[in-house]
Short mmCIF file of all heavy atoms in Angstrom, two decimals:
data_model
loop_
_atom_site.label_atom_id
_atom_site.label_comp_id
_atom_site.label_asym_id
_atom_site.label_seq_id
_atom_site.Cartn_x
_atom_site.Cartn_y
_atom_site.Cartn_z
N MET A 1 28.45 -37.96 -12.13
CA MET A 1 29.15 -36.90 -11.44
C MET A 1 28.14 -35.83 -11.03
O MET A 1 27.26 -35.47 -11.79
CB MET A 1 30.21 -36.32 -12.36
CG MET A 1 31.02 -35.25 -11.75
SD MET A 1 32.34 -34.79 -12.91
CE MET A 1 33.33 -33.87 -11.83
N HIS A 2 28.28 -35.32 -9.80
CA HIS A 2 27.38 -34.30 -9.30
C HIS A 2 27.83 -32.91 -9.72
O HIS A 2 29.01 -32.61 -9.71
CB HIS A 2 27.31 -34.33 -7.77
CG HIS A 2 26.75 -35.60 -7.23
ND1 HIS A 2 25.78 -36.33 -7.87
CD2 HIS A 2 27.03 -36.29 -6.11
CE1 HIS A 2 25.48 -37.38 -7.16
NE2 HIS A 2 26.24 -37.39 -6.10
N LYS A 3 26.87 -32.11 -10.09
CA LYS A 3 27.17 -30.73 -10.44
C LYS A 3 27.41 -29.93 -9.16
O LYS A 3 26.64 -30.02 -8.21
CB LYS A 3 26.00 -30.13 -11.22
CG LYS A 3 26.24 -28.71 -11.65
CD LYS A 3 25.06 -28.18 -12.43
CE LYS A 3 25.30 -26.73 -12.79
NZ LYS A 3 24.16 -26.15 -13.48
N TRP A 4 28.48 -29.16 -9.11
CA TRP A 4 28.79 -28.31 -7.96
C TRP A 4 27.85 -27.12 -7.95
O TRP A 4 27.75 -26.37 -8.91
CB TRP A 4 30.24 -27.85 -8.02
CG TRP A 4 30.61 -26.89 -6.94
CD1 TRP A 4 30.92 -25.58 -7.10
CD2 TRP A 4 30.68 -27.14 -5.55
NE1 TRP A 4 31.18 -25.00 -5.90
CE2 TRP A 4 31.04 -25.94 -4.91
CE3 TRP A 4 30.48 -28.25 -4.75
CZ2 TRP A 4 31.21 -25.83 -3.54
CZ3 TRP A 4 30.64 -28.14 -3.38
CH2 TRP A 4 31.00 -26.93 -2.80
N LEU A 5 27.12 -26.95 -6.85
CA LEU A 5 26.14 -25.88 -6.75
C LEU A 5 26.68 -24.65 -6.03
O LEU A 5 25.98 -23.67 -5.87
CB LEU A 5 24.89 -26.39 -6.02
CG LEU A 5 24.19 -27.56 -6.70
CD1 LEU A 5 23.05 -28.06 -5.83
CD2 LEU A 5 23.68 -27.16 -8.07
N GLY A 6 27.90 -24.71 -5.55
CA GLY A 6 28.49 -23.55 -4.89
C GLY A 6 28.30 -23.54 -3.39
O GLY A 6 28.64 -22.58 -2.73
N PHE A 7 27.70 -24.59 -2.84
CA PHE A 7 27.55 -24.69 -1.40
C PHE A 7 27.58 -26.16 -1.00
O PHE A 7 27.40 -27.05 -1.82
CB PHE A 7 26.27 -24.02 -0.91
CG PHE A 7 25.01 -24.63 -1.47
CD1 PHE A 7 24.40 -25.68 -0.83
CD2 PHE A 7 24.44 -24.13 -2.63
CE1 PHE A 7 23.24 -26.26 -1.35
CE2 PHE A 7 23.28 -24.68 -3.15
CZ PHE A 7 22.68 -25.76 -2.51
N ALA A 8 27.81 -26.39 0.27
CA ALA A 8 27.86 -27.75 0.79
C ALA A 8 26.84 -27.89 1.92
O ALA A 8 26.39 -26.89 2.49
CB ALA A 8 29.27 -28.02 1.33
N PRO A 9 26.46 -29.12 2.25
CA PRO A 9 25.51 -29.32 3.36
C PRO A 9 25.96 -28.62 4.65
O PRO A 9 25.13 -28.10 5.40
CB PRO A 9 25.47 -30.83 3.52
CG PRO A 9 25.78 -31.35 2.15
CD PRO A 9 26.79 -30.37 1.59
N TYR A 10 27.27 -28.59 4.89
CA TYR A 10 27.77 -27.91 6.08
C TYR A 10 27.35 -26.44 6.08
O TYR A 10 26.95 -25.89 7.11
CB TYR A 10 29.30 -28.01 6.15
CG TYR A 10 29.91 -27.14 7.22
CD1 TYR A 10 29.98 -27.59 8.54
CD2 TYR A 10 30.39 -25.87 6.93
CE1 TYR A 10 30.52 -26.78 9.53
CE2 TYR A 10 30.93 -25.06 7.91
CZ TYR A 10 31.00 -25.53 9.21
OH TYR A 10 31.52 -24.72 10.19
N THR A 11 27.42 -25.80 4.93
CA THR A 11 27.05 -24.39 4.81
C THR A 11 25.58 -24.18 5.16
O THR A 11 25.22 -23.24 5.87
CB THR A 11 27.34 -23.87 3.39
OG1 THR A 11 28.71 -24.12 3.08
CG2 THR A 11 27.04 -22.39 3.26
N LEU A 12 24.73 -25.07 4.67
CA LEU A 12 23.30 -24.97 4.99
C LEU A 12 23.05 -25.16 6.48
O LEU A 12 22.26 -24.45 7.09
CB LEU A 12 22.51 -26.00 4.18
CG LEU A 12 22.54 -25.82 2.67
CD1 LEU A 12 21.82 -26.97 1.99
CD2 LEU A 12 21.93 -24.49 2.27
N ARG A 13 23.73 -26.13 7.07
CA ARG A 13 23.57 -26.39 8.50
C ARG A 13 24.07 -25.20 9.32
O ARG A 13 23.44 -24.78 10.27
CB ARG A 13 24.31 -27.66 8.90
CG ARG A 13 24.15 -27.98 10.39
CD ARG A 13 24.87 -29.23 10.75
NE ARG A 13 23.99 -30.35 10.46
CZ ARG A 13 24.24 -31.58 10.81
NH1 ARG A 13 25.36 -31.88 11.44
NH2 ARG A 13 23.40 -32.54 10.54
N LYS A 14 25.21 -24.65 8.93
CA LYS A 14 25.75 -23.50 9.66
C LYS A 14 24.79 -22.31 9.57
O LYS A 14 24.57 -21.62 10.56
CB LYS A 14 27.13 -23.10 9.11
CG LYS A 14 27.74 -21.91 9.84
CD LYS A 14 29.17 -21.72 9.47
CE LYS A 14 29.80 -20.51 10.09
NZ LYS A 14 29.74 -20.41 11.52
N THR A 15 24.21 -22.10 8.41
CA THR A 15 23.24 -21.01 8.24
C THR A 15 22.04 -21.23 9.15
O THR A 15 21.57 -20.30 9.82
CB THR A 15 22.80 -20.91 6.77
OG1 THR A 15 23.96 -20.65 5.97
CG2 THR A 15 21.78 -19.81 6.57
N GLN A 16 21.52 -22.45 9.18
CA GLN A 16 20.37 -22.76 10.03
C GLN A 16 20.70 -22.54 11.50
O GLN A 16 19.95 -21.89 12.23
CB GLN A 16 19.93 -24.20 9.83
CG GLN A 16 18.82 -24.61 10.79
CD GLN A 16 18.64 -26.11 10.90
OE1 GLN A 16 19.52 -26.88 10.55
NE2 GLN A 16 17.50 -26.52 11.41
N ILE A 17 21.82 -23.06 11.94
CA ILE A 17 22.21 -22.95 13.35
C ILE A 17 22.46 -21.49 13.72
O ILE A 17 22.02 -21.03 14.77
CB ILE A 17 23.45 -23.84 13.63
CG1 ILE A 17 23.02 -25.31 13.56
CG2 ILE A 17 24.07 -23.50 14.97
CD1 ILE A 17 24.17 -26.29 13.63
N SER A 18 23.14 -20.76 12.87
CA SER A 18 23.41 -19.34 13.14
C SER A 18 22.11 -18.54 13.23
O SER A 18 21.94 -17.70 14.12
CB SER A 18 24.30 -18.74 12.05
OG SER A 18 25.54 -19.37 12.04
N ALA A 19 21.18 -18.80 12.31
CA ALA A 19 19.91 -18.08 12.32
C ALA A 19 19.11 -18.39 13.58
O ALA A 19 18.51 -17.49 14.19
CB ALA A 19 19.11 -18.43 11.07
N MET A 20 19.08 -19.64 13.97
CA MET A 20 18.36 -20.02 15.20
C MET A 20 18.98 -19.35 16.42
O MET A 20 18.28 -18.85 17.28
CB MET A 20 18.35 -21.54 15.37
CG MET A 20 17.49 -22.26 14.37
SD MET A 20 17.53 -24.05 14.59
CE MET A 20 16.56 -24.21 16.10
N HIS A 21 20.30 -19.33 16.46
CA HIS A 21 21.01 -18.72 17.58
C HIS A 21 20.72 -17.22 17.65
O HIS A 21 20.42 -16.69 18.72
CB HIS A 21 22.51 -18.98 17.45
CG HIS A 21 23.34 -18.37 18.52
ND1 HIS A 21 23.27 -18.76 19.83
CD2 HIS A 21 24.26 -17.39 18.47
CE1 HIS A 21 24.11 -18.04 20.55
NE2 HIS A 21 24.73 -17.20 19.74
N GLU A 22 20.79 -16.55 16.53
CA GLU A 22 20.53 -15.11 16.49
C GLU A 22 19.08 -14.79 16.85
O GLU A 22 18.79 -13.71 17.38
CB GLU A 22 20.87 -14.54 15.11
CG GLU A 22 22.36 -14.48 14.85
CD GLU A 22 22.71 -13.98 13.46
OE1 GLU A 22 21.83 -13.38 12.81
OE2 GLU A 22 23.85 -14.18 13.06
N ALA A 23 18.17 -15.73 16.58
CA ALA A 23 16.76 -15.53 16.91
C ALA A 23 16.47 -15.81 18.39
O ALA A 23 15.37 -15.57 18.86
CB ALA A 23 15.89 -16.42 16.04
N GLY A 24 17.48 -16.32 19.10
CA GLY A 24 17.33 -16.54 20.54
C GLY A 24 17.08 -17.97 20.96
O GLY A 24 16.79 -18.23 22.13
N ALA A 25 17.18 -18.92 20.04
CA ALA A 25 16.99 -20.33 20.41
C ALA A 25 18.11 -20.79 21.33
O ALA A 25 19.27 -20.40 21.17
CB ALA A 25 16.96 -21.20 19.16
N ASP A 26 17.77 -21.63 22.30
CA ASP A 26 18.78 -22.16 23.21
C ASP A 26 19.52 -23.33 22.52
O ASP A 26 19.03 -23.89 21.54
CB ASP A 26 18.16 -22.61 24.52
CG ASP A 26 17.12 -23.69 24.31
OD1 ASP A 26 15.96 -23.35 23.97
OD2 ASP A 26 17.47 -24.88 24.45
N LEU A 27 20.69 -23.67 23.05
CA LEU A 27 21.53 -24.69 22.42
C LEU A 27 20.85 -26.06 22.36
O LEU A 27 21.01 -26.79 21.40
CB LEU A 27 22.87 -24.81 23.14
CG LEU A 27 23.87 -23.69 22.86
CD1 LEU A 27 25.17 -23.95 23.62
CD2 LEU A 27 24.16 -23.54 21.39
N ALA A 28 20.07 -26.41 23.38
CA ALA A 28 19.38 -27.70 23.37
C ALA A 28 18.40 -27.79 22.21
O ALA A 28 18.30 -28.82 21.53
CB ALA A 28 18.67 -27.93 24.69
N THR A 29 17.68 -26.72 21.95
CA THR A 29 16.73 -26.69 20.83
C THR A 29 17.46 -26.75 19.50
O THR A 29 17.06 -27.48 18.59
CB THR A 29 15.86 -25.41 20.90
OG1 THR A 29 15.17 -25.40 22.14
CG2 THR A 29 14.88 -25.34 19.76
N ILE A 30 18.55 -26.00 19.40
CA ILE A 30 19.35 -26.01 18.17
C ILE A 30 19.90 -27.41 17.92
O ILE A 30 19.86 -27.90 16.80
CB ILE A 30 20.49 -24.97 18.25
CG1 ILE A 30 19.91 -23.55 18.28
CG2 ILE A 30 21.45 -25.14 17.07
CD1 ILE A 30 20.94 -22.47 18.58
N ALA A 31 20.39 -28.06 18.97
CA ALA A 31 20.95 -29.41 18.83
C ALA A 31 19.89 -30.39 18.34
O ALA A 31 20.14 -31.19 17.44
CB ALA A 31 21.52 -29.88 20.16
N LYS A 32 18.71 -30.31 18.92
CA LYS A 32 17.63 -31.22 18.52
C LYS A 32 17.25 -30.99 17.06
O LYS A 32 17.08 -31.94 16.29
CB LYS A 32 16.43 -31.02 19.43
CG LYS A 32 15.33 -32.00 19.18
CD LYS A 32 14.23 -31.86 20.21
CE LYS A 32 13.17 -32.92 19.97
NZ LYS A 32 12.11 -32.85 20.97
N GLN A 33 17.11 -29.74 16.67
CA GLN A 33 16.70 -29.41 15.31
C GLN A 33 17.76 -29.80 14.27
O GLN A 33 17.44 -30.24 13.18
CB GLN A 33 16.41 -27.92 15.21
CG GLN A 33 15.93 -27.46 13.86
CD GLN A 33 14.54 -27.97 13.52
OE1 GLN A 33 13.73 -28.23 14.39
NE2 GLN A 33 14.27 -28.11 12.25
N SER A 34 19.03 -29.65 14.64
CA SER A 34 20.11 -29.89 13.67
C SER A 34 20.66 -31.31 13.72
O SER A 34 21.50 -31.68 12.91
CB SER A 34 21.25 -28.89 13.90
OG SER A 34 21.84 -29.09 15.16
N GLY A 35 20.21 -32.11 14.70
CA GLY A 35 20.66 -33.49 14.78
C GLY A 35 21.97 -33.69 15.52
O GLY A 35 22.54 -34.77 15.49
N HIS A 36 22.43 -32.67 16.23
CA HIS A 36 23.66 -32.79 17.01
C HIS A 36 23.33 -33.30 18.41
O HIS A 36 22.33 -32.92 19.00
CB HIS A 36 24.37 -31.44 17.14
CG HIS A 36 25.19 -31.09 15.96
ND1 HIS A 36 26.39 -31.67 15.68
CD2 HIS A 36 24.96 -30.21 14.96
CE1 HIS A 36 26.88 -31.17 14.56
NE2 HIS A 36 26.02 -30.28 14.10
N LYS A 37 24.21 -34.13 18.94
CA LYS A 37 24.03 -34.62 20.31
C LYS A 37 24.93 -33.88 21.29
O LYS A 37 24.65 -33.83 22.47
CB LYS A 37 24.33 -36.12 20.37
CG LYS A 37 23.31 -36.91 19.58
CD LYS A 37 23.56 -38.38 19.65
CE LYS A 37 22.50 -39.04 18.78
NZ LYS A 37 22.57 -40.44 18.75
N ASN A 38 25.99 -33.28 20.78
CA ASN A 38 26.97 -32.63 21.64
C ASN A 38 26.83 -31.11 21.50
O ASN A 38 27.11 -30.55 20.43
CB ASN A 38 28.37 -33.09 21.24
CG ASN A 38 29.44 -32.59 22.17
OD1 ASN A 38 29.31 -31.54 22.80
ND2 ASN A 38 30.53 -33.33 22.26
N LEU A 39 26.44 -30.44 22.58
CA LEU A 39 26.28 -28.99 22.55
C LEU A 39 27.60 -28.28 22.31
O LEU A 39 27.65 -27.22 21.69
CB LEU A 39 25.65 -28.49 23.84
CG LEU A 39 24.26 -29.05 24.19
CD1 LEU A 39 23.76 -28.43 25.48
CD2 LEU A 39 23.28 -28.82 23.06
N GLU A 40 28.69 -28.86 22.78
CA GLU A 40 30.01 -28.25 22.60
C GLU A 40 30.38 -28.19 21.12
O GLU A 40 31.01 -27.23 20.67
CB GLU A 40 31.07 -29.03 23.38
CG GLU A 40 32.45 -28.42 23.32
CD GLU A 40 32.51 -27.00 23.90
OE1 GLU A 40 31.74 -26.69 24.83
OE2 GLU A 40 33.34 -26.21 23.43
N THR A 41 29.97 -29.20 20.35
CA THR A 41 30.24 -29.19 18.91
C THR A 41 29.57 -27.99 18.26
O THR A 41 30.17 -27.30 17.44
CB THR A 41 29.73 -30.49 18.26
OG1 THR A 41 30.40 -31.59 18.86
CG2 THR A 41 29.98 -30.49 16.76
N ILE A 42 28.32 -27.75 18.62
CA ILE A 42 27.60 -26.61 18.06
C ILE A 42 28.30 -25.32 18.45
O ILE A 42 28.56 -24.46 17.60
CB ILE A 42 26.14 -26.59 18.56
CG1 ILE A 42 25.39 -27.78 18.02
CG2 ILE A 42 25.45 -25.29 18.16
CD1 ILE A 42 24.04 -27.98 18.64
N ASN A 43 28.60 -25.18 19.71
CA ASN A 43 29.22 -23.96 20.21
C ASN A 43 30.58 -23.71 19.58
O ASN A 43 30.90 -22.59 19.18
CB ASN A 43 29.33 -24.03 21.73
CG ASN A 43 29.48 -22.69 22.36
OD1 ASN A 43 29.05 -21.68 21.83
ND2 ASN A 43 30.08 -22.67 23.52
N LYS A 44 31.37 -24.76 19.44
CA LYS A 44 32.74 -24.62 18.95
C LYS A 44 32.83 -24.46 17.43
O LYS A 44 33.63 -23.68 16.93
CB LYS A 44 33.54 -25.85 19.38
CG LYS A 44 35.01 -25.79 19.04
CD LYS A 44 35.72 -27.00 19.60
CE LYS A 44 37.20 -26.95 19.28
NZ LYS A 44 37.91 -28.13 19.77
N HIS A 45 32.00 -25.18 16.68
CA HIS A 45 32.16 -25.23 15.23
C HIS A 45 31.17 -24.38 14.43
O HIS A 45 31.42 -24.08 13.27
CB HIS A 45 32.07 -26.67 14.74
CG HIS A 45 33.18 -27.52 15.22
ND1 HIS A 45 34.47 -27.44 14.73
CD2 HIS A 45 33.23 -28.48 16.19
CE1 HIS A 45 35.24 -28.30 15.36
NE2 HIS A 45 34.51 -28.95 16.24
N TYR A 46 30.05 -24.03 15.03
CA TYR A 46 29.02 -23.35 14.25
C TYR A 46 28.73 -21.93 14.70
O TYR A 46 28.29 -21.12 13.89
CB TYR A 46 27.71 -24.14 14.28
CG TYR A 46 27.78 -25.44 13.54
CD1 TYR A 46 28.02 -26.64 14.20
CD2 TYR A 46 27.62 -25.48 12.17
CE1 TYR A 46 28.09 -27.84 13.52
CE2 TYR A 46 27.68 -26.67 11.47
CZ TYR A 46 27.91 -27.85 12.16
OH TYR A 46 27.98 -29.03 11.47
N LEU A 47 28.90 -21.64 15.96
CA LEU A 47 28.50 -20.33 16.47
C LEU A 47 29.70 -19.40 16.58
O LEU A 47 30.77 -19.79 17.01
CB LEU A 47 27.83 -20.46 17.83
CG LEU A 47 26.58 -21.32 17.86
CD1 LEU A 47 26.01 -21.35 19.27
CD2 LEU A 47 25.54 -20.84 16.88
N SER A 48 29.48 -18.19 16.19
CA SER A 48 30.50 -17.17 16.36
C SER A 48 29.79 -15.88 16.75
O SER A 48 28.63 -15.67 16.42
CB SER A 48 31.30 -16.98 15.08
OG SER A 48 30.46 -16.57 14.03
N VAL A 49 30.49 -15.04 17.44
CA VAL A 49 29.91 -13.76 17.84
C VAL A 49 30.05 -12.81 16.67
O VAL A 49 31.11 -12.68 16.08
CB VAL A 49 30.64 -13.20 19.08
CG1 VAL A 49 30.11 -11.84 19.45
CG2 VAL A 49 30.51 -14.17 20.24
N ASN A 50 28.95 -12.16 16.33
CA ASN A 50 29.02 -11.16 15.26
C ASN A 50 28.35 -9.88 15.74
O ASN A 50 27.73 -9.83 16.79
CB ASN A 50 28.39 -11.70 13.97
CG ASN A 50 26.92 -12.00 14.11
OD1 ASN A 50 26.17 -11.22 14.66
ND2 ASN A 50 26.50 -13.15 13.61
N ASP A 51 28.48 -8.84 14.98
CA ASP A 51 27.97 -7.52 15.38
C ASP A 51 26.47 -7.53 15.62
O ASP A 51 25.98 -6.88 16.53
CB ASP A 51 28.32 -6.47 14.33
CG ASP A 51 29.80 -6.18 14.28
OD1 ASP A 51 30.50 -6.47 15.27
OD2 ASP A 51 30.27 -5.66 13.26
N ARG A 52 25.71 -8.27 14.82
CA ARG A 52 24.25 -8.31 15.01
C ARG A 52 23.90 -8.93 16.35
O ARG A 52 23.00 -8.46 17.05
CB ARG A 52 23.58 -9.09 13.89
CG ARG A 52 23.54 -8.33 12.58
CD ARG A 52 22.77 -9.07 11.54
NE ARG A 52 23.44 -10.35 11.27
CZ ARG A 52 22.96 -11.30 10.50
NH1 ARG A 52 21.79 -11.14 9.93
NH2 ARG A 52 23.63 -12.39 10.27
N THR A 53 24.61 -9.98 16.74
CA THR A 53 24.35 -10.63 18.02
C THR A 53 24.71 -9.71 19.17
O THR A 53 23.95 -9.57 20.12
CB THR A 53 25.14 -11.95 18.14
OG1 THR A 53 24.82 -12.78 17.02
CG2 THR A 53 24.82 -12.69 19.42
N ILE A 54 25.85 -9.06 19.08
CA ILE A 54 26.28 -8.17 20.13
C ILE A 54 25.31 -6.99 20.28
O ILE A 54 24.87 -6.68 21.39
CB ILE A 54 27.71 -7.65 19.85
CG1 ILE A 54 28.72 -8.78 19.97
CG2 ILE A 54 28.08 -6.50 20.80
CD1 ILE A 54 30.10 -8.44 19.50
N ASP A 55 24.95 -6.37 19.18
CA ASP A 55 24.04 -5.23 19.23
C ASP A 55 22.68 -5.60 19.83
O ASP A 55 22.05 -4.81 20.51
CB ASP A 55 23.83 -4.63 17.83
CG ASP A 55 25.07 -3.95 17.30
OD1 ASP A 55 25.97 -3.62 18.12
OD2 ASP A 55 25.16 -3.73 16.08
N LYS A 56 22.22 -6.80 19.57
CA LYS A 56 20.91 -7.25 20.06
C LYS A 56 20.87 -7.29 21.58
O LYS A 56 19.84 -7.02 22.19
CB LYS A 56 20.62 -8.64 19.49
CG LYS A 56 19.29 -9.21 19.91
CD LYS A 56 19.08 -10.56 19.26
CE LYS A 56 17.82 -11.23 19.75
NZ LYS A 56 17.62 -12.52 19.14
N PHE A 57 22.00 -7.62 22.21
CA PHE A 57 22.01 -7.81 23.65
C PHE A 57 22.63 -6.65 24.42
O PHE A 57 22.76 -6.69 25.63
CB PHE A 57 22.71 -9.11 24.00
CG PHE A 57 21.91 -10.30 23.52
CD1 PHE A 57 22.30 -10.99 22.39
CD2 PHE A 57 20.78 -10.70 24.19
CE1 PHE A 57 21.55 -12.07 21.93
CE2 PHE A 57 20.03 -11.79 23.75
CZ PHE A 57 20.43 -12.46 22.61
N LEU A 58 22.99 -5.57 23.75
CA LEU A 58 23.55 -4.41 24.44
C LEU A 58 22.48 -3.38 24.72
O LEU A 58 21.50 -3.24 24.14
CB LEU A 58 24.66 -3.77 23.62
CG LEU A 58 25.96 -4.57 23.57
CD1 LEU A 58 26.97 -3.83 22.71
CD2 LEU A 58 26.53 -4.79 24.94
#
């Protein structure tokens, strides 16, 4: 039985994708790095607009 560490692989991937996005990486680069083939999947399931992102571009 595996010990629960309090996070799942999805959480790690979401953190990586969010950090890359906030740093200014384009979706094609994020997709290649994270192993996704569909850019819409990244956009729909992993990225969200937050205050840090909005403030950076205003």
Side-chain angles (χ1 to χ4, degrees):
M1 182 174 193
H2 296 326
K3 181 179 177 183
W4 175 247
L5 300 175
F7 61 88
Y10 170 84
T11 304
L12 296 175
R13 181 179 275 189
K14 180 169 176 56
T15 300
Q16 175 197 19
I17 290 172
S18 297
M20 290 179 72
H21 178 66
E22 288 178 17
D26 60 278
L27 285 181
T29 301
I30 294 171
K32 186 173 183 178
Q33 182 69 28
S34 64
H36 278 286
K37 294 182 182 181
N38 187 333
L39 300 181
E40 184 61 30
T41 300
I42 294 170
N43 200 26
K44 185 176 180 182
H45 295 286
Y46 291 97
L47 300 181
S48 60
V49 176
N50 63 46
D51 291 339
R52 286 185 297 173
T53 304
I54 292 171
D55 291 342
K56 181 178 175 181
F57 293 103
L58 287 179

